[in-house]
Amino acid sequence: MLQSLGMARSDEAADMWPRKLTLCLLFSFFLLGSLLLCVPAEARHDTVGKQRAFRRRSRSDNSSTSYSSRTFDVRSFGARGDGMTDDSEALLAAWKAACSVESATILIPSEFMFLIRPLTLQGPCQPSLVLQVSNSPAAQLITSARFLSFFPAFISLERILLIKQIDGVILGPSSSSGWPRFALQQWINVKWVKGFTIKGGGIVNGRGSAWWRRSEGIKPTAIRFYDCHDVVVQDITIQNSPQCHLKFDGSSGILVSKVRISSPENSPNTDGIHLQNTKDVEIEDCIIACGDDCISIQTGCSDVHIHGIRCGPGHGISIGSLGLGGINACVSNITVEDSTIHTATNGARIKTWAHGRGSLMGVAFNRISVSNVDIPIVIDQFYCDKNSCSESGEGVSVSGVTFSGITGTYAVQPVYLACSPTRPCTDVTLSGIELSPSSAGSRGQPLICRNAYGDSTGKLSPDGVNACLGKGNRQYTASALSHHRIESATIEIPSDFMFLIGPVTLQGPCKPNLVLQIDGVILGPSDLGGWPRSGLLQWINFEGLQDFTIRGSGIVNGRGSAWWRRSTGTKPTVSDFLFFFSLTIKKFKGRLAIRFYGSHNIIVQDITIQNSPQCHLKFDGCTGILVSKVRISSPENSPNTDGIHLQDTKDVEIEDCIIACGDDCISVQTGCSDVHIHGILCGPGHGISIGSLGIGGTEACVSNITVEDSSIHSATNGVRIKTWARHAQGGISVSNVDKPIVIDQFYCDGQHCPSWGDAVSVSAVTFSRITGTYAVQPVYLACSPKQPCTDLIFTSIQLSPASGGSDLQPLCSNAYGDSTAPISPRVIDCLQKGNRPYTASAHSQRPYKGWHVGHGRKHSNDHHGHWGRKGNNGRPKGPNHPVHSPPPSHSDDRPYSSRVFDILSFGATGDGVTDDSKALLQAWEAACSVGSATIEIPSEFKFLIRPVTLKGPCQPDLVLKIDGVIMGPSDLSDWPHKGLLQWINLMWVHDFTIKGNGIVDGRGSHWWEEPESLFQEFTSRKSNIIPDTKPTAIRFYGSQNVTVRDISIVNSPQCHLKFDGSSGIRVSNITIMSPGNSPNTDGIHLQNTNKVEITDATIGCGDDCISIQTGCSEVYIHRVNCGPGHGISLGSLGRDNSLACVNNITAKNITIQDALSGVRIKTWQGGKGLVRGVTFSDVSVSNVETPIVIDQFYCDRRSCRNSSDAVAVSDVTFSGVKGTYAWQPVYLACSDARPCEGVRLTDVELLPAPERHLRGLLRQPLCWNAYGETREPLLPQGIDCLQRGGAAASPFPARLPRMLIPPINAYPDTVCRS
């Protein structure tokens, strides 16, 4: 038997055994080498070095993947592997099984071919998950056209180390029709993964030739990483992508090594590697040949190192284009070196749009060899890929660019530096340039150097390169400086000088990366007469700064001794001085006494701040703060001289500081969260304090504070809370501290304090690893009897009395929690176990619901994110009784935080049958009062929800995370019988997000039936009531700053997603689906809503994909795939003689297929108002009945009444509308009374759909009372039908209803403005 099998084996297969043996030996040697390389090297201290070291380790770690019982063979899950059967479900099942097992392997075995459709790989999973594609010519993953009409499969992937080994071939569909009809922007999409590797000797082939023949529409990227970190792509080959081959967006820590990318030279937009908003990137030893940029670097990229690249054919290695659409572009620290570029249109190129904004700085192209490259060196600040572009605007600044060692041959022109006269290129260096004409070309065109300033060094050829740059930097005139502030500037306080500075305010906004370098001494006035007499709160005040740094070895000396002798009056803070400056700039490193207000991304580093009159360094209303290695000092008896003071400030890190002062070393006040304090040496002073909070009966909110690995000596307190907080302290060393551990809910700093009532709630506080000596009392926990301290934790507390000090017994009053050994002395193990069981009498005195306001009090419903349920040790349940026990565990052991409210914790069953509406409402009520809370709809569950209303206002940053399925009732009798307008109704929410990978399913098929069918159904159930309206799936009313992203909404009874009376709306990456014959099922509906962005959406429905009604303005729609449906519509407007006002609407980069209309404006006769400022551009249509429509005679029934008034339509642009139509290319039917004016048809190319053209089922274009201008190309010929000049009445055609001449008064523009 074995012999017969051996004879049956082909020669090629038989020859594989020696190769396999060789590979095994090589693998063994490589494994041995990897083990030797595991000897730890000296750690690098910079962030980039650490991340690159991680990637080097991951390469060696990934190479030693082995298989065990944790291997999941896809054939065990039903995969056929015959190359024709769809094996996607088998792969998904294997993935699901392996995802929950640590260090698992999903095996794609050899000798098989697996047919797979496009996938989205999305975190998280258990660590070290491996997808192993066996090393065999027959082991292939194939994507077929037949199965791509399904929704893309969503796969979970997260790990500490995730490997995808590709040694076979992955194929895309062979024709564009085989891909999904809806907006497919990626083929293999990887999202939210960390520590991920793709490697192997295999091929990813997008088979994109059919796409390259299409000049319009959205085309998919082969492999795209989004929001991924520590990613390695190594050794694979990527071929023939429909568009970009390998893309990284919003990611960091990227290594691309030894990757081969190829597509034909004439394949459009097929960039090799594309970077966007991505940092810390290394691309090495790659071979790239494509139809666009070999490597493209877009805005938001920094710290990119590219070397060992062989590029060509293609468009070279490019930074840009930057600033498209006037956006702010920032690129910095890019190095390209030791690479070869041949047979390319460009070599090393920087391209920016003239109307853009932002900066590009710190770019080096070193040792680049070019061969037959059209233009080897390019800076183009007037980049334009169209026939004409505006050359006006601020411009992207280009500075600090080096071209060094660029050698070889050029075919057209050696150097092209075209810089803006208003924003010239500065600090440009040309060094060692040796370029000569290629043998295939002539002498070429002369080099161009306009408005480029810098220096030329070394050998330079051809002639003229040495004189190309203007020497130095362009000298700005005073008028020019007033218009162009300098980016990345440094304000220098030089050493060996002392500068007397009176109170100043340094106010932003400023350009990014401003630095205040303090190496000298800054002095405040020496006596009180040098200060203002009243209203002085700050000395050096920074306001409104972003990306600002204070640094240096200097000193900021407030000379505050005269102030300390005053017992009354307001004192300025040195920290206030610096605070204002930090508001102007993001990062600050320096030695200053400072106050920052309303500033973001601030660094204060290395400076010394001394003797402030009051607080030394203060942050108020700021985010993104780093204070590092700062020294602060003032005498122990200097009153109120806090070291660092935080108020209403978030995302703070304070590290490695030395602080000695007369008050708190660090003080954390209300409104602070996410504060990490470590490596602090504090003393003398009052320790590290949270509070005092709640003075004057104010509300106080503090959360997520960590203090660790610090030392406190000779202080009145160690770690102290003076009222409510959520706090953790660990690794604190104390020496001769009066009271090392303090919670004081009766704090009073005056002679007369009011008697206590309600208090600021204190819960979830940990004191861990606090060791050393105390001088008075080891523990002082004075908590309110009405608002006791709960969920306290003592662990590893070891305190002993200092010699010569007192030894008072610890105080633990109304303090509840748990302690863990070691605890020394044992008397401090004084916490009452568990949480205080509230009695009925106590509860009757203290109502509890939401945030409670009173004298110095504020508390939340439940810091663990859920209300109590039955079985909580006899404690009361329900929203009026807080329960602080941990959340119930679930079978999936998903992690919880105090801000996560899982609907399962509120009684939801998730079986798709039981009504879970009440659980959702209770979760909403609980989360609504907690800042930055998340309501979780977990995956793998289906929740039946009846109509609900979720009302605000709520605390900011509330998130509804939908990963499971929310289902509407399947039976009409389960819905209310009248007055039903919404299913999930959200009202008055601000700063709210819906996100996740789940589905909202309205199950609306019964609603879509004809009325007769509905009547028969209800009659058969002996019901005589039929619902009179159909509900919208999700509706927002009166809401602001709302984000809806990533979810799917399907089969709504009527509209899927609606916004009414709202503003600040962002909808992105969502999918909306219902059948093409489902009536009135608009995808997204806007009404009385402004400031809207809809992007990257896929919508197929039975009505308008996007509908924009009256009262809407500033709406931006881009990258939307629509169809089937009725296209993208403004209107219908003016129904029942109503007033309609719509303006500033833009729809761009839209794909519409199999739709009734493309882009449409529809208004009723008799309406009033104005539609103005509408742009439809870059619209791809396929088999659309009528791609371009303005219909001022809209009627959705058999006949409508003629009227003498109409909604005016003006300033409407249709540009770049291309594709096929199935009925009529253009339909512009405008009113005699209000003709359409300012209509523009530009670059419109519409061809008849083949089937309709052959059958003669087409109509000619119609333009009636439409005035404006056209610009070629225009196809078909009849669409050049706009009338020139102003509007004038003309006889009305018989085919349209006759209209009367309207009154001249009440011009619609005036009506809308009023």
Side-chain angles (χ1 to χ4, degrees), residues 115 159 199 353 443 456 458 539 585 649 651 734 848 907 922 944 1021 1060 1088 1143 1168 1261 1275:
L115 192 65
R159 6 36 2 183
K199 68 174 187 176
W353 292 79
R443 295 292 299 173
S456 305
W539 172 29
I585 307 167
T649 294
D651 188 18
V734 297
Y848 194 102
Q922 289 180 345
L944 176 61
R1021 300 183 184 190
D1060 189 357
N1088 296 313
N1143 65 83
K1168 299 178 179 64
L1275 290 176

Side-chain angles (χ1 to χ4, degrees), residues 86-93 95 115-122 143 147-157 180 184 186-191 997 999 1048 1071:
D86 179 19
D87 292 324
S88 302
E89 296 301 324
L91 177 58
L92 287 170
W95 190 277
L115 192 65
I116 305 296
R117 67 179 181 265
L119 301 173
T120 292
L121 307 179
Q122 181 172 318
T143 306
F147 302 97
L148 293 178
S149 59
F150 302 135
F151 292 0
F154 289 86
I155 300 180
S156 290
L157 249 203
L184 178 64
Q186 292 85 31
W187 173 27
I188 301 174
N189 190 24
V190 185
K191 301 171 68 174
N997 302 311
I999 299 173
S1048 296
T1071 300

Side-chain angles (χ1 to χ4, degrees), residues 1076-1157:
N1077 61 351
S1078 54
N1080 301 314
T1081 53
D1082 295 61
I1084 301 173
H1085 181 94
L1086 306 176
Q1087 184 171 331
N1088 296 313
T1089 294
N1090 57 35
K1091 297 180 181 177
V1092 179
E1093 183 176 11
I1094 302 172
T1095 179
D1096 300 316
T1098 299
I1099 306 174
C1101 58
D1103 210 296
D1104 297 325
C1105 293
I1106 299 175
S1107 170
I1108 302 172
Q1109 294 291 327
T1110 186
C1112 293
S1113 65
E1114 299 180 63
V1115 178
Y1116 183 44
I1117 303 166
H1118 58 119
R1119 296 197 301 274
V1120 171
N1121 196 316
C1122 165
H1126 294 184
I1128 296 178
S1129 297
L1130 274 66
S1132 59
L1133 305 173
R1135 183 168 185 169
D1136 298 326
N1137 301 323
S1138 61
L1139 173 67
C1141 301
V1142 176
N1143 65 83
N1144 294 337
I1145 311 295
T1146 300
K1148 185 176 182 180
N1149 293 332
I1150 309 297
T1151 300
I1152 305 174
Q1153 61 274 322
D1154 301 323
L1156 178 67
S1157 302

Side-chain angles (χ1 to χ4, degrees), residues 84-339:
M84 296 184 295
T85 305
D86 179 19
D87 292 324
S88 302
E89 296 301 324
L91 177 58
L92 287 170
W95 190 277
K96 181 178 179 181
C99 186
S100 58
V101 178
E102 189 171 353
S103 301
T105 297
I106 301 172
L107 179 61
I108 309 296
S110 60
E111 313 298 338
F112 293 91
M113 300 174 68
F114 297 93
L115 192 65
I116 305 296
R117 67 179 181 265
L119 301 173
T120 292
L121 307 179
Q122 181 172 318
C125 284
Q126 290 294 318
S128 303
L129 180 62
V130 177
L131 178 57
Q132 174 73 38
V133 183
S134 294
N135 187 12
S136 168
Q140 302 179 1
L141 292 180
I142 306 173
T143 306
S144 171
R146 295 184 302 162
F147 302 97
L148 293 178
S149 59
F150 302 135
F151 292 0
F154 289 86
I155 300 180
S156 290
L157 249 203
E158 191 229 58
R159 6 36 2 183
I160 296 171
L161 185 62
L162 173 62
I163 304 174
K164 182 171 182 179
Q165 178 81 24
I166 301 176
D167 292 316
V169 178
I170 298 178
L171 295 176
S174 59
S175 64
S176 58
S177 61
W179 296 81
R181 294 165 52 195
F182 307 111
L184 178 64
Q185 297 184 36
Q186 292 85 31
W187 173 27
I188 301 174
N189 190 24
V190 185
K191 301 171 68 174
W192 308 319
V193 297
K194 185 176 182 180
F196 175 63
T197 297
I198 295 180
K199 68 174 187 176
I203 299 172
V204 178
N205 190 342
R207 298 200 288 186
S209 59
W211 291 91
W212 305 331
R213 294 188 291 268
R214 295 176 53 184
S215 61
E216 72 286 335
I218 300 173
K219 303 174 186 177
T221 290
I223 303 176
R224 178 246 201 174
F225 289 88
Y226 176 75
D227 195 10
C228 297
H229 308 280
D230 300 326
V231 173
V232 177
V233 180
Q234 184 176 358
D235 296 330
I236 65 171
T237 297
I238 311 173
Q239 296 177 348
N240 301 324
S241 175
Q243 198 166 25
C244 177
H245 287 78
L246 179 60
K247 182 176 181 179
F248 297 91
D249 189 357
S251 300
S252 66
I254 307 300
L255 171 63
V256 180
S257 178
K258 299 179 182 178
V259 170
R260 293 161 297 281
I261 295 175
S262 65
S263 65
E265 183 177 2
N266 61 350
S267 54
N269 302 315
T270 53
D271 295 61
I273 301 173
H274 181 95
L275 306 177
Q276 183 172 332
N277 296 313
T278 293
K279 302 178 180 180
D280 184 25
V281 180
E282 185 168 3
I283 303 173
E284 63 177 16
D285 303 328
C286 295
I287 300 173
I288 306 174
C290 58
D292 209 296
D293 297 324
C294 293
I295 299 174
S296 170
I297 301 171
Q298 293 291 327
T299 186
C301 292
S302 63
D303 300 317
V304 178
H305 185 208
I306 301 168
H307 59 102
I309 305 301
R310 183 176 178 182
C311 165
H315 293 184
I317 298 175
S318 297
I319 300 176
S321 60
L322 305 177
L324 176 63
I327 64 172
N328 189 68
C330 296
V331 175
S332 63
N333 298 333
I334 311 296
T335 300
V336 182
E337 57 190 1
D338 301 319
S339 298

